[in-house]
């Protein structure tokens, strides 16, 4: 018994120093946390530093400014604006270039800034112009794309009907006469219209369901081809202070150059009614004033003598806004009074507060009263010119965009096809009366 107790005491004696040492360590103050800066550097890598350009480009978010912050004003502007140098820097697979990507938008800027992946072997796409090269005023081959420095230039133009079976796309202008060859399953057929439905020929029944894309002035076309396209230099600055009085020395009220006296929208009758309440000088076949169309002094006369110009289209059709507004009106020092497309459709394509739409008023008499008010108030009149200098009308580079979209078509989520392209083009697209009359008639037909 005593021997066993002695063995236990010896074991306890051996453990006591260990317990005391552990207790001392626990009571010692702890050192501060290990600092990152105090860590030893890693040994240098033996591998050469390789920049991953693809990853660097794809890592840029959509909200990040891609302009060169150190560049001047022009270097920050996109390539299609005068003096602009900014080119698309990377392929954007989700770019909004097709109608379903951005309904209601013309997508022109997005199409002009679309580019292809730089790490892919991109084939040349062949585009056949069914009406010939001369109709479009272009050269064959890749000239059009190289000369215009299209971001997507891997296309070639041809008018050779023998290539109809191998073309990636065929562009038909105003009418459709098919080639006598079997159509490849993925070939894109495009129908182009410049004029409004009243002035375009109807297609034969066999041509109604053969087209994949449309190219017209309408904003719901696959490729929007407007008469002009306004772009602000800075979307946040739509006005600027004026340096002159646009009303100064002008003694005449309203001018109009017109030769078609039988337009479907009765624009001449409206102008004559307007002239009962404010002077309207009508030049050409429909009026008593004369100035040869080829005489440059005619339009210069607008800048010097007149305050307002009737930029009346010959038809009231959806999105139909032509050079009558863009050239005769906005590119001169007058306030355009417009008739043609709906008021919201003018707002979508025109500089802010740059025109007056006839349907903003109950009739010619009410419009005349407002024009008289502007004539008497220089400040109010000049407010219609504050848009000048905030942007410009751009070249929309139609064939650059066609090329880009033909290449991008492979990523499209659906196969585009018009079951009746004439119904799309004509049904409800135009009216012989005011748009509000059409709207009122529609509201009467709609159930409560």
């Amino acid at each position: 018994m005593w021997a066993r107790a002695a063995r236990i005491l010896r074991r306890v004696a051996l453990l006591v120093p260990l317990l005391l040492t552990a207790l001392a360590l626990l009571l010692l103050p702890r050192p501060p946390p290990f600092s990152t800066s105090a860590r030893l550097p890693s040994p240098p890598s033996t591998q050469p530093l390789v920049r991953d350009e693809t990853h660097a480009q794809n890592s840029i978010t959509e909200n990040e400014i891609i302009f060169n912050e150190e560049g001047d004003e022009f270097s920050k502007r996109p390539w299609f604006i005068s003096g602009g140098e900014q080119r698309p820097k990377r392929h954007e697979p989700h770019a909004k270039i097709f109608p379903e990507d951005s309904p209601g938008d013309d997508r022109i800027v997005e199409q002009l800034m679309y580019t292809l992946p730089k790490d892919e072997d991109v084939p040349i796409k062949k585009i056949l112009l069914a009406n010939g090269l001369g109709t479009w005023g272009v050269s064959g081959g890749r000239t059009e794309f190289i000369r215009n420095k299209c971001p997507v230039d891997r296309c070639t133009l041809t008018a050779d009907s023998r290539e109809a079976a191998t073309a990636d796309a065929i562009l038909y202008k105003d009418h459709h006469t098919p080639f006598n060859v079997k159509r490849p399953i993925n070939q894109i057929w495009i129908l182009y219209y410049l004029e409004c439905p009243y002035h375009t020929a109807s297609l034969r029944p066999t041509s109604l369901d053969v087209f994949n894309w449309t190219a017209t002035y309408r904003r719901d076309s696959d490729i929007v081809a407007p008469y002009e396209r306004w772009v602000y230099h800075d979307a946040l600055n739509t006005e600027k202070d004026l340096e002159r009085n646009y009303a100064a020395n002008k003694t005449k009220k309203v001018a109009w150059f017109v030769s078609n006296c039988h337009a479907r929208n009765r624009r001449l009758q409206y102008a004559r009614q307007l002239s009962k309440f404010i002077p309207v000088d009508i030049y050409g076949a429909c009026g008593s004033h004369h100035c040869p169309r080829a005489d440059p002094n005619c339009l210069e006369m607008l800048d010097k003598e007149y305050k307002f110009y009737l930029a009346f289209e010959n038809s009231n059709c959806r999105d139909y806004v032509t050079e009558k507004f863009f050239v005769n009106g906005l590119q001169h020092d007058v306030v355009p009074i417009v008739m043609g497309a709906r008021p919201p459709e003018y707002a979508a394509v025109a500089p802010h507060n740059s025109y007056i739409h006839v349907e903003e008023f109950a009739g010619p008499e009410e419009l005349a009263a407002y024009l008289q008010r502007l004539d008497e108030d220089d400040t109010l009149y000049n407010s219609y010119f504050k848009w000048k200098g905030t942007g410009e009308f751009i070249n929309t580079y139609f064939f650059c965009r066609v090329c880009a979209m033909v290449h991008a078509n492979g990523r499209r989520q659906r196969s585009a096809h018009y079951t009746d392209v004439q119904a799309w083009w004509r049904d409800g697209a135009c009216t012989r009366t005011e748009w509000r009359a059409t709207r009122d008639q529609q509201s009467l037909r709609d159930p409560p």
Side-chain angles (χ1 to χ4, degrees):
M1 177 179 177
W2 291 107
R4 183 179 178 185
R7 286 196 300 272
I8 293 174
L9 289 174
R10 283 197 299 270
R11 290 176 180 174
V12 171
L14 292 172
L15 290 173
V16 167
L18 295 175
L19 292 172
L20 292 174
T21 301
L23 181 62
L25 291 173
L26 290 173
L27 294 176
L28 287 174
R30 293 186 178 184
F34 194 60
S35 171
T36 303
S37 60
R39 293 177 182 173
L40 294 175
S42 301
S45 173
T46 58
Q47 299 295 326
L49 180 62
V50 178
R51 179 177 174 83
D52 185 351
E53 294 291 346
T54 303
H55 175 75
Q57 291 174 3
N58 292 338
S59 66
I60 300 176
T61 64
E62 291 185 357
N63 295 326
E64 186 172 350
I65 297 176
I66 62 174
F67 296 146
N68 177 11
E69 295 294 344
E70 297 180 356
D72 58 22
E73 178 184 0
F74 291 101
S75 68
K76 297 180 182 180
R77 294 180 181 177
W79 68 275
F80 49 83
I81 288 182
S82 298
E85 301 175 3
Q86 190 64 38
R87 309 284 298 184
K89 292 182 178 293
R90 67 189 186 281
H91 170 66
E92 176 51 66
H94 303 294
K96 297 179 179 180
I97 62 175
F98 291 104
E100 66 271 17
D101 298 332
S102 186
D105 186 18
D106 64 17
R107 311 169 311 282
I108 290 175
V109 170
E110 289 77 10
Q111 291 165 358
L112 289 173
M113 292 300 287
Y114 182 81
T115 190
L116 299 173
K118 292 180 171 54
D119 57 349
E120 292 184 4
D121 184 15
V122 180
I124 299 291
K125 297 288 188 179
K126 185 189 301 179
I127 302 170
L128 172 60
L129 305 185
N131 303 75
L133 298 170
T135 304
W136 295 92
V138 296
S139 303
R142 297 186 62 200
T143 303
E144 186 73 12
F145 310 100
I146 302 299
R147 181 178 63 238
N148 289 321
K149 300 180 180 179
C150 303
V152 179
D153 61 9
R154 303 285 290 172
C155 288
T156 184
L157 297 177
T158 180
D160 190 344
S161 60
R162 294 171 297 181
E163 300 187 76
T166 58
D168 296 282
I170 301 181
L171 179 57
Y172 295 90
K173 188 174 186 180
D174 296 327
H175 60 84
H176 174 234
T177 302
F179 296 96
N180 190 26
V181 295
K182 184 178 180 180
R183 178 183 181 180
I185 189 170
N186 292 321
Q187 191 176 72
I188 303 168
W189 284 13
I190 310 169
L191 178 62
Y192 174 92
Y193 281 137
L194 173 66
E195 293 293 342
C196 72
Y198 287 141
H199 300 102
T200 53
S202 296
L203 298 175
R204 58 174 62 94
T206 55
S207 298
L208 300 182
D209 64 347
V210 300
F211 288 99
N212 305 99
W213 296 354
T214 54
T216 79
Y217 57 80
R218 274 177 47 174
R219 293 171 67 83
D220 59 340
S221 300
D222 297 86
I223 307 173
V224 182
Y227 283 79
E228 296 283 350
R229 177 57 153 83
W230 171 262
V231 172
Y232 285 106
H233 294 153
D234 182 348
L236 299 179
N237 295 320
T238 60
E239 294 184 351
K240 63 182 301 184
D241 294 335
L242 299 180
E243 298 179 354
R244 54 171 288 196
N245 178 8
Y246 284 88
N249 302 319
K250 292 189 175 184
T251 59
K252 299 179 181 179
K253 304 298 189 295
V254 184
W256 187 25
F257 299 128
V258 59
S259 57
N260 178 0
C261 310
H262 305 285
R264 288 178 171 84
N265 59 1
R266 297 178 58 83
R267 61 183 182 180
L268 180 58
Q269 288 79 356
Y270 188 99
R272 287 174 175 168
Q273 284 293 318
L274 183 66
S275 68
K276 294 179 179 180
F277 309 103
I278 191 172
V280 178
D281 293 342
I282 301 177
Y283 291 82
C286 307
S288 58
H289 296 263
H290 301 281
C291 193
R293 180 176 296 185
D295 187 350
N297 293 323
C298 292
L299 292 177
E300 291 180 8
M301 177 176 58
L302 292 179
D303 296 328
K304 298 177 180 178
E305 301 181 20
Y306 287 94
K307 287 190 172 181
F308 308 99
Y309 179 77
L310 299 184
F312 287 179
E313 302 296 345
N314 57 33
S315 305
N316 290 359
C317 293
R318 177 180 179 178
D319 290 328
Y320 189 53
V321 184
T322 74
E323 78 286 344
K324 297 177 182 65
F325 171 62
F326 292 115
V327 178
N328 294 1
L330 292 185
Q331 295 187 29
H332 289 275
D333 297 336
V334 289
V335 176
I337 303 167
V338 302
M339 174 191 293
R342 296 177 178 88
E345 293 162 359
Y346 273 95
V349 300
H352 174 67
N353 198 39
S354 61
Y355 64 94
I356 299 169
H357 199 295
V358 296
E359 293 201 28
E360 295 172 346
F361 304 88
E365 183 175 3
E366 186 174 297
L367 171 59
Y370 182 68
L371 299 182
Q372 294 283 14
R373 179 185 171 193
L374 292 178
D375 180 50
E376 297 167 359
D377 187 339
D378 284 3
T379 300
L380 187 58
Y381 178 79
N382 278 287
S383 68
Y384 282 89
F385 296 92
K386 289 187 175 182
W387 63 272
K388 286 183 177 287
T390 62
E392 63 186 81
F393 294 100
I394 65 167
N395 184 338
T396 61
Y397 294 99
F398 176 75
F399 282 103
C400 286
R401 294 187 291 125
V402 171
C403 182
M405 292 182 67
V406 170
H407 275 281
N409 189 58
R411 71 159 181 83
R412 204 170 185 183
Q413 297 300 314
R414 64 181 181 86
S415 177
H417 172 249
Y418 288 83
T419 56
D420 187 343
V421 73
Q422 287 290 274
W424 171 85
W425 179 237
R426 299 183 185 280
D427 291 358
C430 302
T431 179
R432 294 176 183 267
T433 63
E434 294 179 329
W435 287 109
R436 58 185 160 207
T438 304
R439 185 172 62 249
D440 293 342
Q441 292 171 6
Q442 181 64 41
S443 65
L444 292 175
R445 291 193 296 267
D446 291 339

